[in-house]
Amino acid sequence: MVWATGHSLQGGRYVIEKVLGEGGFGITYKAHHRFLEQPVVIKTPNDSLKNDPEYDKYVRRFIEEGRQMEKLSEKQHPNIVRVRDLFEESGTYCLVMDFVAGESLWDLVQRRGALPEWEAVDYVRQIGEALTVVHAAGLVHRDAHPGNIMVQSDRKAVLIDFGIAGEIFPASVSSKPFANPAFAPYEQMRGGREPAVDIYCLAASLYYTITGQRPASSLKRKLNNVPLVSPKQLAEGIGDELNRAILKGMELEANKRPQSMREWLKLLESANRTQPVSPPRGRNKPRFGQEVLILYLFVGFLFWTVFGFSLDQYQFEPLFWALALTLFEAFISFSLYFTQTNSFL
């Protein structure tokens, strides 16, 4: 049963506003925390699976991982959605998380097209750092695709909607496609829970972000020998090192990928040693401010050398005053220009 708008939970503490998404395993709601006056997200197992023989196993995993996620939230990592509560309501377990405002990375690329290299890598690097913390806690996200990466106005990327119990395939939904085919490694269909799953997913997310196109699914690559088009073929500006880092993270076989997220992030760092990983500050301003300042000093020195010790004899010379006025006007014009553009900063 899907809860309707206005449905109250926990004695009125939470009020359902709308359904954000419904999948084979769970339902995600946007709700309102009445006492804190804040929006939250509530995730529950899907009641339609209650008659499935694997349902109890799924719920146990849901509870276990919900508790582990809450422990992760104690340190409040800036790039991981915070878990606020875990409770049972009329036999249904509910996991309460912060509502993260912003735009998903998927929607951002759909709106703007392929992102610049520095911007794409910056978002993915933030999520990769978050996943190293997740993996250290013994968890695997299993669903770190662009739809689950929220980008906020300050360019902070936040990982949301953990794929809790995603390795369990209830018989009643066994015909449904697993995860997000373009971003998931094929071993995930067999219940893969190793960090290499998240490495593939994040590398595929970077592929999409930097090319604007979804990569070929791992299942088609495995079963039908469909080739994975190199990112560099789709976006010529991609550097060779970054191209190799993406393809390495998307190796079809898990044992050929980097075996830790930290190892894959080092490939990204190596690929971007000569590329900025954040907006280059001041690079859109004129770059010759210092050179003009030096020119001012040189002209001033030259002017003083030629005229400084005998101004009396030049005070009535038209050429002298014409030259002096020209230099003064030039100085004022350049000073106003560079003050407005901040090119001296």
Side-chain angles (χ1 to χ4, degrees), residues 112-125:
R112 287 176 48 190
L115 301 186
E117 182 174 319
W118 66 263
E119 186 177 0
V121 171
D122 188 37
Y123 295 144
V124 168
R125 179 189 56 78

Side-chain angles (χ1 to χ4, degrees), residues 277-298:
V277 294
S278 59
R281 299 187 181 185
R283 293 295 295 275
N284 61 328
K285 302 171 183 176
R287 300 177 60 184
F288 44 89
Q290 292 180 348
E291 289 84 345
V292 173
L293 180 59
I294 294 171
L295 179 61
Y296 285 166
L297 295 174
F298 176 77

Side-chain angles (χ1 to χ4, degrees), residues 52-124:
D52 192 281
E54 296 283 351
Y55 183 74
D56 288 342
K57 181 180 178 182
Y58 169 56
V59 170
R60 284 196 300 271
R61 174 65 68 183
F62 182 94
I63 296 169
E64 177 188 339
E65 295 198 9
R67 289 170 177 165
Q68 289 178 299
M69 285 175 61
E70 193 278 331
K71 289 181 181 179
L72 279 179
S73 298
E74 289 177 359
K75 295 183 179 179
Q76 199 170 343
H77 193 286
N79 305 111
I80 301 175
V81 65
R82 181 173 59 173
V83 172
R84 287 184 171 272
D85 199 1
L86 177 65
F87 62 85
E88 182 182 3
E89 180 88 12
S90 302
T92 298
Y93 284 92
C94 304
L95 186 67
V96 183
M97 297 173 279
D98 279 344
F99 176 80
V100 180
E103 184 177 20
S104 74
L105 188 57
W106 172 268
D107 289 338
L108 183 63
V109 174
Q110 289 293 303
R111 177 171 59 85
R112 287 176 48 190
L115 301 186
E117 182 174 319
W118 66 263
E119 186 177 0
V121 171
D122 188 37
Y123 295 144
V124 168

